[in-house]
């Protein structure tokens, strides 16, 4: 652990201890002031948060509603050591510094589960929340109860259930600066003595918080809606059936990307010019490209992301005497259609269209024994089958600046790629079957030994191909037959076209095509995987009195290997088949934690210290041109401490918060992609020329050494029937690298974010009106960035693209409950 982290942790421990002692003394005689228990299902049983021996944070539905939390990305400011960020062509989620990179074929390191159903695609993180009862963030491998793809942790989401009594609500909020509106409503109640229902709906519109100077519009413009219906039926006195159906769309026009950090080209035909000056001054691009500072003004020719989802689930809860049997049958479909102006400027350079569809069926059976005996257990079987199709097209329009730029270097070559595209197709069919069990042996009244394991068989077949075609997907005309040679030599994109060209009787075609196939690899490519893996866990729990516990756990987890959807070439691998497949990622975690109820029930104080070793980490690194290369490239060690607390300080004030100290270190990462301008120091292919950068000893992207939050929730009666509320949230993070290549220009400095909410409403809770201020200090947070595509590789100029978060917002909220 780094010395400065130890100092900060020591200071926190001292402070927490003083608070605990003070609270114990002040409230020793006031045990009636107790915190309301938070019930979670992290262990697949309903338990109090303080009774679950693992590092977990829970955000209630009430908090989500009052804080106007839209989606999982917003949770990170309430939960230290959980980070979620949108990228150019994907979404990254990290817990304790571990997460999945950018590749649509990756399974997720942070598993997402909604009412027990696995949501496995990264894009589904962008789905909005609707009528949520609770969101639980579980840190560390959760492979036994949650499955193979929870190697870093899990997000366990529970939606609200139908009620025995009729109730309903309707709420609306308006944000004035960015013209954002949200309307959501719910009705719930009985249909008969045995049947209950719940219907919820939500609609959101956002005009945008950045100006696209090229198109003169506000971006990103968002519109999403979701509708869910739930029926709960008492089939017998011992069997309850729950049927849930949900459909939704979330659509976005535009992005929140800006171009920054431009430097003049050091050599070549554009020496002395910045990338924006090359685009506007040399090639006549729109003047909006000259804005290359962070100021909420961007240039782009337009982007969009249109997403549709459908989810259906049938859950059977059957009480078999003292035992509980649960069956979850689920069908989900998810698809999107995107266009990325992926040069990230208002110049006409190139674009990328992306389409993805994912269909999943799953069946789970779970049997739980009664609690309170000498032994208890949870055991189950799980089956999942899925079909995953992915396509993208890298497009060069007839007016692209690449055409004259390439012609200037090689006359006529630019004309070959005008109005063409590199059209990629990839598929993976996957079948998973697993059996799991977790046994608890209560050795004494104070000590429990818990052991468990999950055995998983993962079978999958995958394939990928790419063809250079015309802009309308028709075959290339004879005059552009050689276009694949330009794609290969300048952009590093191999294609099936090269196979035919290598057989040509024309040496000017066959010789370079053969050379490119040797350097880049041949398509199409396919592969099959069939692997069985066991994930064990052992945990010792010590109940210290009736309200406190200590635990120690050792667990192993893994994330499935698969097939690379996004690579443009074989990279440094010997052939395309080897490059196509990547193997499982494995983790071993040791954790020591404690949970304490203090001050007569007025305070909860929890801690967890952990050490995790990752092997064969799956990474995805931008290749510096137009592609991403993936593989099992690294190992890492992560150690840290997490502390959280809740304190009913007075009858009207509750204070809660958390602190995470994380020390992430790559112990072996010799094949990292260098940022433009860095000096390579690794000769990966042994040809005497270094191509890559050694990042051994570095931390991971998006990892902060220190993160913390504190919330003050004040509620006081006003008059006879009203209640005034005030919530003040503070979130702090130390600096972190926002790029996977450790570009020094893309480091987010430490910052503090402040949010506040003031409300007035009835004491009965029937209505309230509130003003909500987010990001009061107006921080523009850098969440992700990288080299601007082609700026360095083609034009020789340093340039970065960067995702920046939203600034200060003020909203008015109103809710009526009936």
């Amino acid at each position: 652990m780094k010395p400065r982290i130890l100092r900060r942790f020591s200071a926190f421990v001292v402070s927490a201890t003083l608070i605990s002692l003070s609270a114990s003394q002040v409230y020793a005689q006031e045990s009636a002031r107790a915190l309301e228990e938070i019930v979670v299902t992290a262990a697949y049983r309903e338990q109090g948060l303080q009774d679950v021996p693992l590092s977990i944070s829970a955000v209630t539905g009430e908090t989500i509603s009052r804080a106007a939390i839209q989606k999982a990305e917003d949770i990170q400011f309430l939960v230290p050591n959980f980070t979620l960020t949108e990228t150019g062509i994907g979404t990254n989620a990290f817990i304790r510094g571990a997460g999945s990179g950018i590749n649509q074929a990756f399974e997720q390191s942070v598993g997402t589960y909604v009412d027990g159903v696995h949501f496995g695609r990264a894009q589904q993180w962008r789905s909005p929340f609707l009528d949520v009862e609770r969101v639980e963030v579980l840190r560390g491998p959760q492979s036994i109860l949650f499955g193979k793809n929870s190697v870093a942790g899990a997000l366990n989401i529970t939606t609200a259930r139908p009620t025995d009594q009729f109730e309903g609500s309707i709420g609306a909020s308006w944000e004035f600066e960015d013209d954002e509106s949200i309307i959501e409503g719910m009705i719930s109640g009985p249909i008969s003595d045995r049947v209950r229902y719940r219907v919820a709906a939500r609609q959101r519109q956002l005009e945008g918080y950045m100006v696209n100077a090229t198109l003169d519009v506000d971006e990103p413009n968002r519109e999403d809606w979701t509708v869910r219906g739930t029926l709960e039926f008492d089939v017998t006195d011992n069997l309850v059936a729950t049927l849930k159906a949900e459909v939704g769309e979330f659509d976005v026009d535009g992005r929140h990307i800006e171009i920054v950090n431009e430097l003049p080209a050091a050599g070549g035909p554009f020496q002395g010019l910045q990338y924006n000056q090359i685009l506007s001054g040399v090639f006549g691009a729109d003047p909006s490209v000259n804005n290359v500072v962070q100021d909420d003004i961007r240039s782009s020719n337009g982007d969009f992301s249109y997403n549709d989802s459908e989810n259906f689930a049938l859950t059977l809860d059957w009480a078999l005497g003292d035992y509980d049997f649960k069956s979850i049958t689920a069908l989900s479909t998810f698809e999107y259609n995107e266009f990325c102006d992926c040069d990230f400027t208002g110049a006409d350079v190139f674009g990328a269209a992306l389409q993805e569809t994912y269909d999943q069926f799953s069946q789970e059976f779970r049997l739980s024994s009664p609690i309170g005996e000498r032994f208890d257990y949870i055991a189950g079987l799980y089956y999942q089958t899925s079909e995953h199709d992915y396509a993208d097209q890298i497009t060069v329009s007839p007016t692209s600046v690449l055409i004259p730029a390439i012609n200037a270097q090689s006359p006529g070559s630019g004309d070959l790629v005008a109005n063409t595209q590199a059209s990629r197709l990839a598929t993976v069919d996957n079948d998973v079957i697993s059996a799991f069990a977790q046994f608890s042996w209560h050795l004494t009244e104070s000590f429990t030994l818990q052991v468990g394991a999950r055995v998983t068989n993962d079978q999958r077949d995958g394939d990928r191909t790419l063809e250079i075609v015309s802009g309308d997907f028709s075959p290339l005309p004879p005059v552009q037959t050689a276009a694949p040679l330009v794609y290969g030599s300048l952009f590093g994109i191999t294609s099936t076209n090269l196979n035919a060209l290598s057989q040509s009787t024309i040496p000017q075609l066959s010789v370079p095509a053969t050379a490119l196939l040797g350097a880049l690899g041949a398509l199409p490519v396919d592969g099959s995987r069939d692997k069985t893996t066991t994930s064990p866990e052992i945990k010792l729990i010590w109940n210290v009195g009736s309200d406190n516990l200590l635990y120690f756990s050792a667990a192993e987890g893994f994330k499935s290997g698969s097939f690379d959807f996004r690579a443009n070439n074989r990279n440094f691998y010997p052939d395309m088949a080897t490059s196509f497949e990547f193997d499982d990622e494995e983790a071993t975690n040791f954790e020591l934690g404690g949970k304490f109820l203090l001050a007569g029930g007025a305070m909860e104080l929890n801690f967890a210290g952990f050490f995790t070793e990752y092997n064969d980490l799956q990474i995805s690194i931008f290749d510096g041109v137009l592609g991403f290369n993936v593989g099992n490239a690294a190992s890492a060690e992560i150690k840290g401490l997490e502390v959280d607390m809740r304190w009913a300080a007075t009858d009207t004030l509750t204070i809660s918060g958390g602190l995470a100290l994380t020390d992430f270190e790559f112990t072996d990462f010799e094949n990292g992609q260098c940022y433009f301008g860095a000096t390579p120091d690794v000769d990966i292919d042994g040809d005497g020329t270094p191509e890559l950068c050694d990042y051994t000893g570095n931390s991971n992207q998006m990892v902060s050494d220190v993160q913390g939050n504190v919330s003050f929730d004040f509620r006081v009666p006003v008059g006879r029937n009203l209640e005034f509320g005030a919530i003040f949230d503070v979130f702090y993070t130390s600096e972190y690298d926002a790029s996977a290549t450790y570009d020094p220009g893309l480091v987010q400095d430490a910052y503090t974010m402040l949010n506040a909410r003031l409300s007035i409403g009835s004491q009965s809770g029937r209505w309230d009106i509130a003003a909500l201020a987010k990001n009061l200090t107006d921080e523009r947070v850098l969440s992700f960035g990288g080299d601007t595509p082609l700026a360095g590789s083609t034009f020789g100029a340093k340039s970065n693209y960067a995702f920046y978060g939203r600034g200060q917002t003020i909203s008015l909220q109103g809710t009526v409950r009936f």
Side-chain angles (χ1 to χ4, degrees):
M1 187 68 66
K2 297 177 182 178
R4 59 193 178 92
I5 296 180
L6 284 173
R7 289 195 296 270
R8 290 171 177 167
F9 178 71
S10 299
F12 183 87
V13 170
V14 171
S15 300
T17 303
L18 291 175
I19 292 173
S20 301
L21 292 173
S22 300
S24 299
Q25 295 172 357
V26 172
Y27 295 107
Q29 298 179 346
E30 299 186 39
S31 59
R33 184 183 299 143
L35 291 164
E36 182 177 352
E37 183 180 49
I38 296 177
V39 176
V40 297
T41 55
Y44 272 25
R45 305 176 188 263
E46 289 194 351
Q47 294 177 277
L49 181 65
Q50 294 302 104
D51 299 324
V52 180
L54 59 86
S55 181
I56 175 176
S57 293
V59 182
T60 65
E62 181 183 11
T63 298
I64 290 172
S65 177
R66 290 192 302 171
I69 291 174
Q70 310 296 331
K71 55 189 183 300
E73 187 174 1
D74 301 330
I75 292 289
Q76 61 188 316
F77 299 110
L78 299 176
V79 179
N81 247 358
F82 170 62
T83 303
L84 184 67
T85 183
E86 183 177 331
T87 71
I89 56 170
T91 302
N92 289 347
F94 296 81
I95 288 181
R96 292 178 172 173
S100 294
I102 304 171
N103 194 287
Q104 279 73 7
F106 276 155
E107 305 288 354
Q108 295 306 294
S109 299
V110 179
T112 305
Y113 303 84
V114 180
D115 295 330
V117 179
H118 182 222
F119 283 33
R121 310 296 358 125
Q123 194 84 344
Q124 291 173 296
W125 285 96
R126 302 185 188 183
S127 300
F129 287 144
L130 169 66
D131 197 28
V132 170
E133 180 177 311
R134 183 178 60 255
V135 175
E136 304 164 19
V137 179
L138 288 63
R139 305 181 186 92
Q142 306 295 324
S143 297
I144 296 180
L145 297 182
F146 285 91
K148 60 187 177 71
N149 294 322
S150 303
V151 68
L155 196 71
N156 186 32
I157 301 172
T158 303
T159 63
R161 299 181 59 178
T163 55
D164 293 323
Q165 302 294 324
F166 176 79
E167 63 179 53
S169 66
I170 185 168
S173 69
W174 293 267
E175 199 285 318
F176 307 101
E177 180 68 23
D178 303 325
D179 195 15
E180 179 182 29
S181 65
I182 302 172
I183 300 175
E184 52 190 334
M186 172 277 298
I187 56 172
S188 177
I191 296 176
S192 67
D193 290 342
R194 288 187 172 271
V195 181
R196 297 163 295 281
Y197 73 93
R198 190 179 188 99
V199 178
R202 182 182 188 276
Q203 196 267 347
R204 176 198 182 200
Q205 288 186 313
L206 169 65
E207 189 69 23
Y209 52 90
M210 284 189 178
V211 175
N212 182 335
T214 310
L215 302 178
D216 192 25
V217 295
D218 292 335
E219 294 179 346
N221 183 288
R222 298 180 182 268
E223 182 173 356
D224 54 63
W225 62 266
T226 312
V227 178
R228 181 192 307 128
T230 308
L231 275 178
E232 196 173 77
F233 176 38
D234 297 332
V235 181
T236 69
D237 291 342
N238 299 322
L239 176 61
V240 178
T242 304
L243 179 64
K244 184 180 71 172
E246 178 180 302
V247 295
E249 294 181 2
F250 54 102
D251 301 335
V252 184
D253 287 293
R255 303 261 182 160
H256 50 291
I257 303 173
E258 297 186 61
I259 298 296
V260 295
N261 302 332
E262 295 215 338
L263 295 175
F270 306 110
Q271 182 174 357
L273 297 178
Q274 294 182 173
Y275 185 43
N276 72 93
Q277 295 167 336
I278 298 169
L279 294 176
S280 62
V282 177
F283 295 106
D286 190 280
S288 60
V289 302
N290 294 315
N291 187 313
V292 290
V293 295
Q294 193 284 307
D295 58 1
D296 290 343
I297 300 175
R298 67 184 299 250
S299 69
S300 171
N301 294 301
D303 313 76
F304 62 79
S305 176
Y306 301 150
N307 304 260
D308 300 292
S309 63
E310 296 180 352
N311 302 289
F312 306 92
L314 173 64
T315 302
L316 303 176
D317 290 289
W318 194 1
L320 302 173
D322 293 332
Y323 292 79
D324 293 317
F325 178 80
K326 182 184 286 286
S327 167
I328 304 175
T329 308
L331 175 66
S332 63
T333 64
F334 177 76
E335 63 179 329
Y336 67 78
N337 180 25
E338 288 191 348
F339 182 80
C340 172
D341 184 15
C342 271
D343 59 87
F344 304 132
T345 75
D348 183 1
V349 184
F350 77 98
L354 305 88
Q355 306 87 39
E356 185 175 5
T357 62
Y358 182 76
D359 299 317
Q360 173 184 296
F361 171 82
S362 63
Q363 174 64 60
E364 182 169 9
F365 298 112
R366 254 184 263 155
L367 179 66
S368 303
S369 70
I371 297 178
E373 306 294 333
R374 186 71 181 273
F375 299 93
D376 63 68
Y377 63 85
I378 297 175
L381 296 171
Y382 180 77
Y383 171 73
Q384 175 186 304
T385 184
S386 62
E387 296 180 359
H388 188 190
D389 298 321
Y390 172 77
D392 66 37
Q393 303 85 41
I394 300 172
T395 62
V396 180
S397 77
T399 56
S400 168
V401 302
L402 289 175
I403 298 168
I406 296 172
N407 281 335
Q409 300 178 46
S410 176
S413 295
D415 297 328
L416 292 175
V417 298
N419 193 31
T420 64
Q421 58 181 326
S423 179
R424 184 190 341 256
L425 294 172
T427 65
V428 166
D429 295 331
N430 182 213
D431 290 307
V432 179
I433 186 167
S434 62
F436 60 92
Q438 186 180 74
F439 296 88
S440 297
W441 179 16
H442 304 288
L443 303 170
T444 68
E445 290 186 359
S446 299
F447 289 94
T448 297
L449 178 65
Q450 192 176 86
V451 295
R454 190 179 192 110
V455 180
T456 303
N457 176 254
D458 186 285
Q459 300 180 34
R460 60 184 68 208
D461 299 304
D463 59 76
R464 187 183 82 224
T465 190
L466 185 148
E467 183 182 8
I468 309 301
V469 296
S470 294
D472 61 359
F473 291 94
S474 64
L476 291 171
V479 71
Q480 291 182 300
T481 299
L485 302 179
V486 180
Y487 274 92
S489 58
L490 290 186
F491 306 139
I493 298 177
T494 189
S495 62
T496 56
N497 310 70
L498 294 177
N499 302 334
L501 291 177
S502 68
Q503 304 299 318
S504 173
T505 58
I506 304 174
Q508 292 89 338
L509 296 178
S510 62
V511 172
T514 301
L516 286 171
L517 285 173
L520 303 177
L523 292 172
V525 62
D526 59 62
S528 296
R529 289 176 54 85
D530 186 346
K531 189 167 184 179
T532 299
T533 307
T534 301
S535 302
E537 181 181 43
I538 184 169
K539 186 176 295 183
L540 181 63
I541 307 163
W542 178 21
N543 290 294
V544 186
S546 59
D547 296 326
N548 308 313
L549 66 83
L550 294 169
Y551 68 90
F552 173 78
S553 66
E556 293 183 356
F558 79 101
K559 182 175 69 168
S560 294
S562 190
F563 304 103
D564 183 1
F565 277 0
R566 289 277 315 157
N568 287 335
N569 51 62
R570 66 176 175 85
N571 197 11
F572 53 79
Y573 295 97
D575 53 58
M576 187 65 81
T578 305
S579 125
F580 182 50
E581 182 178 353
F582 54 91
D583 209 349
D584 294 352
E585 176 179 300
E586 300 174 345
T588 302
N589 182 68
F590 300 95
E591 186 165 311
L592 174 66
K595 301 200 169 187
F596 305 96
L597 191 63
L598 308 171
M603 173 179 281
E604 297 170 353
L605 181 63
N606 309 319
F607 79 91
F610 63 90
F611 174 82
T612 311
E613 184 177 48
Y614 281 89
N615 291 306
D616 295 325
L617 273 169
Q618 299 168 2
I619 64 165
S620 174
I621 298 294
F622 181 55
D623 66 6
V625 189
L626 292 177
F628 287 84
N629 298 317
V630 306
N632 301 89
S635 59
E637 291 181 353
I638 313 172
K639 50 184 175 288
L641 293 150
E642 296 156 346
V643 182
D644 66 83
M645 57 84 70
R646 284 198 305 153
W647 178 27
T650 71
D651 291 334
T652 57
L653 175 63
T654 300
I655 303 173
S656 58
L659 178 71
L661 309 176
T662 307
D663 185 2
F664 186 111
E665 181 181 356
F666 282 115
T667 54
D668 181 15
F669 191 3
E670 295 185 349
N671 52 344
Q673 179 65 45
C674 307
Y675 64 87
F676 181 76
T679 302
D681 56 5
V682 176
D683 178 13
I684 197 71
D685 57 9
D687 65 355
T689 301
E691 307 90 358
L692 301 174
C693 285
D694 185 355
Y695 294 139
T696 302
N698 283 22
S699 182
N700 201 5
Q701 67 175 124
M702 308 308 300
V703 177
S704 304
D705 289 345
V706 181
Q707 279 192 348
N709 74 295
V710 62
S711 178
F712 302 88
D713 189 341
F714 177 74
R715 305 186 194 187
V716 62
V718 177
R720 298 179 58 183
N721 300 313
L722 299 179
E723 180 182 79
F724 170 76
I727 301 174
F728 188 65
D729 297 322
V730 183
F731 172 81
Y732 169 80
T733 183
S734 60
E735 71 173 28
Y736 57 82
D737 285 286
S739 75
T741 57
Y742 306 95
D743 191 322
L746 293 172
V747 174
Q748 170 61 55
D749 293 333
Y751 68 88
T752 301
M753 186 174 290
L754 308 177
N755 302 323
R757 184 181 190 268
L758 302 177
S759 65
I760 189 74
S762 65
Q763 291 185 23
S764 65
R766 296 294 297 272
W767 64 270
D768 65 71
I769 298 174
L772 177 65
K774 289 188 175 184
N775 194 3
L776 282 166
T777 51
D778 202 28
E779 297 283 347
R780 293 303 197 274
V781 176
L782 172 61
S783 60
F784 186 80
D787 287 329
T788 304
L790 298 185
S793 61
T794 300
F795 297 94
K798 168 71 173 177
S799 176
N800 290 139
Y801 71 91
F803 282 79
Y804 287 99
R806 200 170 170 184
Q808 183 186 100
T809 62
I810 306 293
S811 303
L812 182 65
Q813 299 175 317
T815 303
V816 177
R817 304 171 185 87
F818 47 87

